[in-house]
Amino acid sequence: MAFSFCKSFGKDKVIFATKEDHAVPSKIELPPPEAPQGLISKNGDINWSCPCLGGMATGPCGVDFREAFSCFHYSEAEPKGSDCYEAFRQMQDCFQQYPTVYNKANGADDDDDALGDVMNADNNGASVKDVDELSSGAGAAAAVANTTTVSKVE
């Protein structure tokens, strides 16, 4: 008959178990898994550690971002967030001070560039309709194709 035993090696503990040890069901009960928390918690607070924020709440402009986002989230003005203009202006000013951190127009981002192009006033008369197409999932390429002229140089 084999028997199980424990041996310690410094900070490590090695447990040798027999086949009979594994035949008995475990008596340990694990707690039920917690549901993952999103951006807004059940009580309505903002979860600043949500990965969906992409580090915006902790970057060099994190304080300005949190103030602007909090203002918008808790805003009761109509339209929502219209009382947060100054907070968003301050956040944008901070973003402009750190272009290497917050500039996504360098090709490292995917579809946000096209949205930025459509929102840019110098973009050949892009309209609100173009922005609606982007946000409905029609794709950034369609909006860029409607607003950008491409010429081939031979």
Side-chain angles (χ1 to χ4, degrees), residues 18 23-24 44 48 103-104:
T18 64
V24 178
W48 295 115
N103 184 10
K104 299 290 187 182

Side-chain angles (χ1 to χ4, degrees), residues 16-144:
F16 295 92
T18 64
K19 194 180 227 181
E20 293 82 27
D21 291 333
H22 289 290
V24 178
S26 176
K27 296 175 184 152
I28 298 173
E29 286 189 36
L30 299 175
E34 294 181 16
Q37 187 176 357
L39 178 59
I40 308 299
S41 65
K42 291 177 183 177
N43 65 0
D45 290 339
I46 300 168
N47 175 15
W48 295 115
S49 61
C50 181
C52 61
L53 293 175
M56 296 288 288
T58 58
C61 298
V63 172
D64 294 323
F65 174 80
R66 289 191 303 268
E67 286 177 9
F69 194 84
S70 293
C71 180
F72 179 81
H73 177 67
Y74 296 112
S75 175
E76 294 182 3
E78 280 300 323
K80 184 173 179 108
S82 61
D83 54 342
C84 303
Y85 177 79
E86 193 55 41
F88 277 95
R89 172 58 60 197
Q90 189 173 351
M91 178 185 74
Q92 186 170 6
D93 290 345
C94 183
F95 286 173
Q96 290 172 350
Q97 291 177 10
Y98 298 94
T100 57
V101 176
Y102 296 104
N103 184 10
K104 299 290 187 182
N106 61 6
D109 203 9
D110 48 12
D111 291 341
D112 291 344
D113 294 340
L115 181 59
D117 290 343
V118 172
M119 297 299 289
N120 189 352
D122 299 335
N123 198 12
N124 299 331
S127 67
V128 174
K129 179 180 177 279
D130 297 328
V131 176
D132 290 341
E133 286 177 5
L134 280 175
S135 62
S136 69
V144 171

